[in-house]
Amino acid sequence: GVWRQTRALLFKNCLIKCRTKKSSVQEVLFPLFFLFWLILMSMMHPHRKYDEVPNTDLGPLDPSVLLNFVIGYTPPTALARDIMRKVASDNFEDGIDT
């Protein structure tokens, strides 16, 4: 049944691999070569760490410049909504939707 067909197919594939040794070796060595190349490239170009930028006070915003101005933020979590609520209450007059 199924087991005999599977065993015959595995045996056939084994014979093909043994008869075509050059392509079998290439199937193993090419991925290893590319993996080595990627590791080498990542070692030549290490990641840079940037220092933190201190917080600075930008002063009050001019609401006349911000008419029809859209600011998007993400993700829409409770923390982000709280931040936008604080920005709106600190910097904008009534009449500007945030």
Side-chain angles (χ1 to χ4, degrees):
V2 175
W3 172 243
R4 284 181 25 180
Q5 290 178 351
T6 305
R7 193 174 61 199
L9 183 62
L10 288 173
F11 182 69
K12 177 185 143 194
N13 287 340
C14 184
L15 284 177
I16 290 172
K17 291 291 180 192
C18 290
R19 290 177 183 164
T20 58
K21 291 180 178 151
K22 182 179 176 182
S23 64
S24 299
V25 170
Q26 287 176 351
E27 285 180 11
V28 173
L29 291 183
F30 278 163
L32 291 176
F33 169 74
F34 288 121
L35 179 65
F36 172 75
W37 184 75
L38 286 173
I39 292 171
L40 184 66
M41 288 292 123
S42 68
M43 291 171 69
M44 290 175 60
H45 301 288
H47 297 289
R48 292 184 182 177
K49 287 198 109 182
Y50 295 100
D51 294 331
E52 292 182 6
V53 178
N55 292 336
T56 56
D57 185 17
L58 299 176
L61 296 173
D62 184 12
S64 64
V65 178
L66 298 176
L67 291 177
N68 297 327
F69 189 76
V70 178
I71 297 175
Y73 62 93
T74 188
T77 61
L79 178 63
R81 283 190 292 274
D82 186 44
I83 290 170
M84 290 306 292
R85 199 174 310 115
K86 287 179 184 177
V87 169
S89 66
D90 290 345
N91 296 311
F92 299 123
E93 297 174 3
D94 292 335
I96 296 180
D97 295 329
T98 56

